[in-house]
Amino acid sequence: FFDEVMNIFNVDVFSDWSFGVRNRDGKAIGADCQIGLNSPVTEKSTVIGPHVDNPKEIYAGLFYMRHKMDNSEGGSLNLLKPKSYDIPVKKNYPKYKDSMFEIKDTIPYQRNTFVLLLCNKYAFHGVTKRSVTSFSRKLVNIIAEVKKGRWYDRI
């Protein structure tokens, strides 16, 4: 799977790197799959606004598993472009202002939708505000990351 993802993005810097399970076997690259469950919404809000992922992440894949009865609005993924590349890149999912970005594309929060992002310091994205609902936002997060440093410093 990792090799196929790297081919999709035309990235070939990892051909001689060791590969394994993230945080388990100490390989240079580790992959993981995480279940995501956002709580039901009591007031229109977002789980996370504009951000970049952990600088160790190579890619992030999101597979949405929206409940068939969920008719709430929002919860979609916005792919963002900074209005200025002087924007400070911060760690630990900081809060950036929406006004600092232009929306380049929106991937709706729909059943059986998969989106794959190549991570880097300008791969900004965020989740749109979701309307009040008793349904949780469900997803699977599929990632790969380097054990040390930022992978994109090597290209």
Side-chain angles (χ1 to χ4, degrees), residues 49-116:
H51 69 283
V52 290
D53 288 342
N54 183 328
K56 293 167 67 172
E57 271 187 42
I58 300 167
Y59 62 77
L62 299 170
F63 177 64
Y64 292 142
M65 301 183 306
R66 185 178 183 144
H67 192 281
K68 62 183 175 185
M69 301 295 286
D70 182 356
N71 61 0
S72 63
E73 295 179 5
S76 300
L77 181 70
N78 278 341
L79 304 180
L80 306 168
K81 178 182 176 184
K83 290 181 178 175
S84 166
Y85 284 97
D86 293 333
I87 187 169
V89 179
K90 304 174 186 178
K91 295 180 181 179
N92 300 324
Y93 304 106
K95 293 182 179 178
Y96 291 98
K97 294 181 180 177
D98 290 335
S99 61
M100 299 170 76
F101 301 93
E102 169 186 340
I103 297 172
K104 295 305 288 180
D105 204 353
T106 299
I107 292 83
Y109 173 53
Q110 296 177 345
R111 287 173 61 84
N112 299 324
T113 297
F114 181 70
V115 61
L116 186 63

Side-chain angles (χ1 to χ4, degrees), residues 112-130:
N112 299 324
T113 297
F114 181 70
V115 61
L116 186 63
L117 305 171
L118 185 65
C119 299
N120 65 57
K121 64 183 176 180
Y122 296 115
F124 288 95
H125 53 284
V127 177
T128 62
K129 289 183 178 181
R130 197 159 170 238

